Amino acid sequence: HWIVDKSGITHQHYPQIKEAALLIQDGEVVAFPTETVYGLGGNVKMDSAVQKIFQAKGRPSDNPLIVHIAERSDVDKLAQKVPEYAQKLMDAFWPGPLTIIVPKKEGVLSELVTAGLNTVAIRMPDHPAALEIIKAAGIPVAAPSANRSGKPSPTTAAHVLEDLSGRIAGVVDGGETGVGLESTVVDCTGTFPVILRPGGVTQLDIEAVSGKVEMNAAHNDLKEPPKSPGMKYTHYAPKAPLYLIEGTNGQIQHKINQLRAEGKKIGLLTTEESERFYEADAVLSCGQRRNLESVAKRLYGTLRSFDEQPVDMILAETFPSEGVGAAIMNRLEKAAGHRWIEAE
Ligand code: TXA
Ligand code: MG
């Protein structure tokens, strides 16, 4: 295996760990697997590398990146102050799908990484390829999800190439990622943790370690600027407009029938339990409702598959916002741009 590169013509480039680390040291950007989604890594100290990340993704420059580390001691090099509850969270969940936001040390990172904020987002991924690349590079690695801005995050190397082929130096192929949704982002700048983005580590998991915790992921109230800049952009969306729908199988099918009678081609995002009850232009299952981890794992891949279906509009069933369901609903609401459709 081998392949694509930054001139992006024909060959595709699948570098190995060592080569990926060297490319990152040299200021190139390389995608690699983590336990959540694929990341697009670059040298955290080089403005030009960080610029390449923003360019490849088409990401607004005011949306800061997560700094990925492989050793706990790197936290003290990047952070000015780490509250005790944040130390406990790191003890409990690292390596793993938890990102902590803490006040940053000045002059350590390219200013572009933190997009002008005085805080830094830090995470230790739980994936051997990611950890080995960071260790071999010998520097922390800035890495957002390896998708074009606005698209669902990539859970396979093929998704990365769909979006970024020709725009990056390569992708380390580690197969399908585990969790399937991005890490839980936790603001650790106050007296207790505040969840800014729900993920694989749930609110209950955090509460069990730190006691008090608040969820501030909805933050739809636009009077205040969002605490996490990524919250204000439309995200994770397939090409056809997506709408959330709640109701019984019968009510949802009735809505599908109405829309199809108006001449629209309708896609439905459902689960294995209900798949067989529906008839539409595309009925895709993203896992088992009784096992929300399976839904988290397959949600983005399924959203991407709708792009190959002849649909004008996608309806998506909703999930209970408990446990990892909170992360699933957060991503679905963003993919839908918070649009709902009434089923009667
Ligand atoms: O699982 C993950 O977190 C993946 C893998 C690759 O590690 N990465 C990822 O990165 O999802 P990205 O860039 O797609 O999302 C980072 C989120 C954004 O919503 C961003 O606004 C927020 O973290 N963020 C980064 N730095 C921040 C800071 N200093 N303060 C508040 N939010 C921050
Ligand atoms: Mg992202």
Side-chain angles (χ1 to χ4, degrees), residues 32 79 139 161 167 187 210 218 221 244 303 322:
F32 57 83
I139 31 157
L161 292 173
R167 309 176 70 90
D187 182 351
S210 69
D221 162 32
L244 298 176
L303 288 176
E322 281 143 37

Side-chain angles (χ1 to χ4, degrees), residues 34 36-39 59 63-66 68 99 101 117 119-121 123 143-145 182-183 185 196-197 227-231:
T34 79
T36 58
V37 300
Y38 276 73
R59 179 174 177 120
N63 193 5
L65 309 179
I66 296 173
H68 292 67
T99 295
I101 311 276
L117 299 176
T119 54
V120 59
R123 136 166 158 85
S145 49
E182 304 83 348
S183 61
V185 176
L196 301 180
R197 180 177 72 181
K227 191 103 205 233
S228 196
M231 295 194 295

Side-chain angles (χ1 to χ4, degrees), residues 20-340:
L22 287 173
L23 285 164
I24 289 172
Q25 280 176 344
D26 281 356
E28 295 300 334
V29 294
V30 180
F32 57 83
T34 79
E35 82 282 26
T36 58
V37 300
Y38 276 73
L40 179 60
N43 186 328
V44 92
K45 295 185 182 284
M46 282 172 70
D47 285 346
S48 60
V50 181
Q51 252 154 6
K52 280 181 196 170
I53 293 176
F54 281 99
Q55 266 158 16
K57 284 183 59 84
R59 179 174 177 120
S61 60
D62 64 347
N63 193 5
L65 309 179
I66 296 173
V67 176
H68 292 67
I69 61 172
E71 315 272 358
R72 180 75 176 266
S73 55
D74 279 343
V75 172
D76 297 321
K77 298 180 189 153
L78 299 163
Q80 212 182 79
K81 199 172 78 199
V82 181
E84 204 185 314
Y85 69 78
Q87 301 283 7
K88 285 193 199 155
L89 293 175
M90 291 184 269
D91 289 341
F93 303 115
W94 277 8
L98 171 80
T99 295
I100 61 155
I101 311 276
V102 285
K104 74 169 180 182
K105 270 201 180 127
E106 290 302 326
V108 182
L109 303 168
S110 158
E111 283 293 313
L112 304 174
V113 172
T114 51
L117 299 176
N118 55 13
T119 54
V120 59
I122 311 174
R123 136 166 158 85
M124 188 188 292
D126 187 15
H127 193 291
L131 291 170
E132 282 175 37
I133 288 167
I134 300 163
K135 280 185 202 156
I139 31 157
V141 173
S145 49
N147 51 288
R148 288 299 296 251
S149 216
K151 297 247 310 195
S153 297
T155 53
T156 65
H159 295 162
V160 174
L161 292 173
E162 246 170 59
D163 282 14
L164 299 178
S165 182
R167 309 176 70 90
I168 61 176
V171 51
V172 174
D173 189 349
E176 202 181 359
T177 58
V179 179
L181 298 177
E182 304 83 348
S183 61
T184 305
V185 176
V186 180
D187 182 351
C188 298
T189 60
T191 53
F192 58 88
V194 178
I195 299 172
L196 301 180
R197 180 177 72 181
V201 175
T202 68
Q203 183 166 4
L204 276 179
D205 294 336
I206 293 175
E207 205 163 57
V209 171
S210 69
K212 183 169 178 180
V213 54
E214 220 166 67
M215 176 77 91
N216 187 17
H219 208 103
N220 294 320
D221 162 32
L222 291 175
K223 275 173 274 172
E224 269 178 80
K227 191 103 205 233
S228 196
M231 295 194 295
K232 74 181 179 217
Y233 301 106
T234 316
H235 264 320
Y236 319 121
K239 287 181 190 138
L242 183 97
Y243 294 81
L244 298 176
I245 186 161
E246 243 165 31
T248 62
N249 296 148
Q251 288 168 327
I252 293 174
Q253 183 63 53
H254 184 69
K255 188 54 155 187
I256 294 170
N257 296 347
Q258 272 179 6
L259 292 164
R260 291 177 93 194
E262 292 168 16
K264 294 198 181 79
K265 296 232 179 293
I266 302 299
L268 180 75
L269 177 68
T270 182
T271 58
E272 276 174 27
E273 288 89 343
S274 302
E275 200 172 14
R276 66 202 163 91
F277 298 120
Y278 291 117
E279 202 190 308
D281 298 284
V283 176
L284 302 186
S285 158
C286 60
Q288 301 171 330
R289 181 170 285 280
R290 63 183 176 277
N291 172 9
L292 290 182
E293 276 74 22
S294 73
V295 172
K297 194 175 165 94
R298 283 175 47 195
L299 181 66
Y300 285 149
T302 312
L303 288 176
R304 275 180 186 264
S305 318
F306 276 110
D307 288 349
E308 278 112 58
Q309 300 290 334
V311 295
D312 304 316
M313 192 175 163
I314 302 160
L315 307 187
E317 288 183 342
T318 61
F319 295 88
S321 271
E322 281 143 37
V324 75
I328 293 169
M329 280 311 293
N330 170 268
R331 305 312 191 273
L332 270 178
E333 291 210 350
K334 285 192 182 182
H338 303 279
R339 285 172 306 218
W340 288 73

